[in-house]
Amino acid sequence: PILRRKITLFLLSGFLLLAAYVGQAVMRARHMVPSIPLLNSNFYIKKKLGLSSWVPLSQISAAPQKAVVTSEDDDFYQNRGYNIRSVEEAAKDDFKHRRFKRGASTITQQVIKNVFLSRDKSIGRKIEEIVLAWEVEKSIGKDRLLEIYLNTAQFGEGLYGVQAASDFYFHKKPSVLGPKEGAFLAMLLPSPIRYAKSFTDRKLTPYADKTITILLERLDREGKLVPGQLKEEMAKPLPFEAVVLPTPSPTVTPADPTPILSPLVNPTP
């Protein structure tokens, strides 16, 4: 009985501590709710994050929009800012590896993290994300959230926003990016500094090539590419990929049939 009582008290104490921890995270999130309307201000977001550029969603081609949504949050336009199934899967993965390995954040949660929260990985911050995501979705539209995400996401070392990324990697405006370029940008998002190695090497790494291929095939299956576009996109290299030109065959200059007289020999008159 004594041992059972100790175990019960231990479990109860743990539950109360967890409840207090969760309650504090919820309260912190509630205190930030009045700041949500600031998400409608490009000026506020640019100033807070130190961004040098901003491009409206209407000036970003559909290709990177579709690629990023499909890769990062495939039911973005249907969910309420969080995805319980993804959270459960991430929790299992984190428990298995004994560390915070997967974030399971929706695009809405990533916007909240980028603009309002710290970058640390903790249960408390995840709770804050979910609470704020619920509140944000009540007043901020999906297209606006996607616009904020594409303008604040990191695409490389010191490289934030789709406009900076489009210019750096492709020397293009976001309005003219194609499906493969959009898939490349989406591929970068989980770890932009690490996965930018393809650009440094001027050649897609095996991981990048596989990830882009899978994403393009998925876009095609879901009807997000026009018929025949998949084959066309797979065949074309990205603008930064080195083009290997064929080695020219050696050319042999034909002998001049005209005899060459030595300047030291005077011709016979």
Side-chain angles (χ1 to χ4, degrees), residues 113-131:
K113 177 186 67 177
N114 291 346
V115 179
F116 294 129
L117 303 178
S118 65
R119 300 276 175 156
D120 67 300
K121 294 182 178 181
S122 66
I123 296 175
R125 199 208 69 188
K126 183 59 61 179
I127 294 170
E128 292 172 17
E129 280 184 16
I130 293 174
V131 173

Side-chain angles (χ1 to χ4, degrees), residues 150-262:
L150 291 173
N151 279 283
T152 59
Q154 184 177 12
F155 291 98
E157 188 167 6
L159 199 62
Y160 292 87
V162 67
Q163 182 165 302
S166 300
D167 182 61
F168 182 78
Y169 291 117
F170 313 124
H171 301 294
K172 293 183 178 181
K173 294 181 179 180
S175 59
V176 297
L177 294 182
K180 191 170 185 178
E181 292 158 341
F184 174 81
L185 295 181
M187 180 276 300
L188 293 170
L189 288 170
S191 185
I193 297 176
R194 177 183 177 188
Y195 295 152
K197 188 176 187 299
S198 294
F199 176 77
T200 306
D201 294 346
R202 294 295 190 267
K203 180 182 179 181
L204 292 178
T205 64
Y207 168 81
D209 186 53
K210 181 180 179 181
T211 302
I212 290 171
T213 297
I214 291 173
L215 181 52
L216 287 173
E217 290 175 344
R218 183 176 173 185
L219 290 168
D220 184 59
R221 286 196 308 272
E222 295 178 1
K224 296 175 182 177
L225 298 180
V226 299
Q229 195 174 24
L230 174 62
K231 184 177 180 180
E232 179 184 333
E233 291 296 316
M234 294 290 293
K236 67 170 66 168
L238 289 166
F240 62 78
E241 290 187 88
V243 179
V244 180
L245 298 175
T247 304
S249 57
T251 56
V252 179
T253 304
D256 189 345
T258 305
I260 301 177
L261 299 178
S262 170

